[in-house]
Amino acid sequence: MLLIRSLSCLALLASLAGCATGPTHPSLAGAPLPELIPVHDFVANRQATGSYRVSPDGKHLAWTGTEGVSPAIWVRTLGKDDARAFPIRARFFRWTADSQYLAAVVDGSGDENTHVHAVAVHRQGAAWVDLTPFDKTASHLLQTVEGGPDLMVTTNRRDKKVFDLHRVDPRTGAHTVVATNPGNAASWGVDRQGRLRTRLIVSDTASQLQRPGAAPDSAWTSIAEWGRFEGLRLLEPDASGQAMWALSNRGRDKVALVRMDLATGAETLVHATPEVDLDYVLISRTTQQPLIAYSMPGYPRREVFDAALRQRLAVLDKGQNAEIAVTSSDDQERTLTVAVTTERSTRSYLLPGEGGEPVFLGESRMAQLASALTATEPVSFASRDGLTLHGYLTLPAGVAAKNLPMVLLVHGGPWARDRWGDSAASRSLQHFLANRGYAVLQVNYRGSSGYGRTFMEKAIGEFAGKMHDDLVDGVQWAVQTGVADPRRVAIYGASYGGYAALVGATFTPEVFACAVDVVGLSHLARFMETVPPYWEMGMVGWRRYIGDPAKPEDRRLMDAKSPLFKVGPATSPLLIMHGVNDPRVKLEQSELMVAALRRAGRPVDYVTFQGDGHGNQKWSNNLTMYRKTEDFLASCLGGRTGGFDYYQLASWAF
């Protein structure tokens, strides 16, 4: 019996294992490449920590990490070694205003029906409690309420298309309905006392900010109105309470910091940058004045308005390119947590009050690999129609930047952008791919956010058109500069990036030797017909950019831009991966594409991820994704692969 079991284990190992292989591409073969970093170090590093948050009373610290091999939020008393773990896989968490509870937003299966959980961290034996235990319902944490543990939560429990506003008591789980959505409220504005201050009403053509009347049942009053595709993001009230700090591009191209009068809606410009939108502005809880404005023209940039804070952060500024972000503070803004992010790492620090020295708290997965990683540098080039495009280039170590196999890594959205830093949405894939021997190019094609409204709107009607031309122009730039081997370029992306990968494989197979698609769109009309019901108010944007599938002529054009209908004998080899619970881009999108490829006799490797959706949360699924990617690209581009990773033996349990 023991012999049979041993043989069975050997058979299992043989089925899982793939031997590590060296590079076969001429530019890599024989080069002094650095040591291969195991896949599990990129996806399952148990020493990694992050998201440090000091409690409002300044006495405790919470952060994300692992307990054993499971994700958890840890809590300890500042100045003591009494850390306790509260196991949970959370998308986001924060302290309640009274510092007694942690509240976390949880997506347990990847279907984005998020729940708000809470735990009384100082109570012996306390466990997480689901405060929104509603089936097939999405709930989100909007605000904490000063003076107690209450939470302001939005939920689509009543009507799956829209979100109502509730006040929730974590001590009892009781819900109080604060506002019922009239059917066109896109968001609610709540102050720190839990008072409803504004709501955003939208139509297909306009957005309107409203404030409630003085009496409970009185009509709402309009504060300001603007075009549907202009943007306004309210931040915090100013000290007078008669105005709000906001990020706005109303009447301008770039998003700027403004002060908006709540009586008239008039805006006063406070701070802007000429090259790019502002990303975020931190407002002081004590003075109610702007503290820091963040932007990213290439490397990260910050403008610190408060002189005392500028001096406190200066001790973390080593003259390097880095994003130095205040991630939390106590109520008096004496004790701060700060994240210092480069393209290779994020390291977190505690800045104690009274001018104390920074205390190192922990670091990200990539920080622990930083010495083996290479630089990511901003690049720019002109598109074929003269538009300046920006992006990032990461090169492999140990080899000359000449005639390299290259991966074009395409961001999703498409109304997002690639960023410089460890927290970028690429899941550090650029470093993983560079370690395998590839040059990695990321392009912020037209339609990407961050470069102003004009740049974004140049993507209208340009799916599989000029948006894709921008990506191809990026490849040509890399070839012309001598970096890329034109015969060995792959395209990789997720969501819209997955769509771009499918377009690359079907529309321009002469450019791309192979493609990797993760949760990508293959059939545009079907995608728009199957999105979650609470997307309805936002679908006006999709119809503006790619058309309305209910209109025959629009549908014809959408089909012409859908990779599903372009599969043919020249289609490049594909690796397609998809989370089975994806609510945005349904699994059907990949199943249809795989079936079409197989009917055409084109090579395709198809992988599905159980228990995940539009992007993996489970490390075991990410392990599979990275392993499949390195083997596929090694066979296509000639880079190297680490082969079997021993974490694969345990991944089935997660």
Side-chain angles (χ1 to χ4, degrees), residues 577-589:
M577 298 182 278
H578 212 121
V580 298
N581 296 332
D582 190 341
R584 305 186 187 193
V585 181
K586 299 292 194 295
L587 184 65
E588 171 194 51
Q589 293 281 326

Side-chain angles (χ1 to χ4, degrees), residues 152 165 178-179 188-191 194-199 212 220:
M152 305 304 294
L165 179 64
V178 177
W188 306 99
V190 179
D191 65 19
R195 296 173 298 199
L196 178 59
R197 299 290 297 271
T198 61
R199 69 181 185 185
W220 288 72

Side-chain angles (χ1 to χ4, degrees), residues 5 43 56 101 105 124 162 183 264 296-297 441 467 475 483 538 542 561 576 610 625 641:
R5 287 178 178 169
V43 302
Y101 289 81
V105 177
Q124 190 67 30
V162 296
T264 66
M296 190 166 290
L441 177 64
M467 295 169 76
V475 172
V483 169
W542 282 96
K561 297 173 182 289
I576 294 178
Q610 299 296 321
M625 183 174 72
T641 171

Side-chain angles (χ1 to χ4, degrees), residues 631-654:
D631 286 349
F632 177 77
L633 293 178
S635 66
C636 170
L637 301 184
R640 56 186 185 160
T641 171
F644 173 71
D645 189 297
Y646 71 88
Y647 270 48
Q648 290 175 257
L649 290 173
S651 64
W652 64 269
F654 295 88

Side-chain angles (χ1 to χ4, degrees), residues 504-506 508-515 568-575 597 602-604 632:
T506 54
T508 55
E510 71 281 2
V511 177
F512 299 105
C514 55
T571 297
S572 302
L574 274 152
L575 168 60
L597 289 163
R602 300 308 299 152
V604 58
F632 177 77

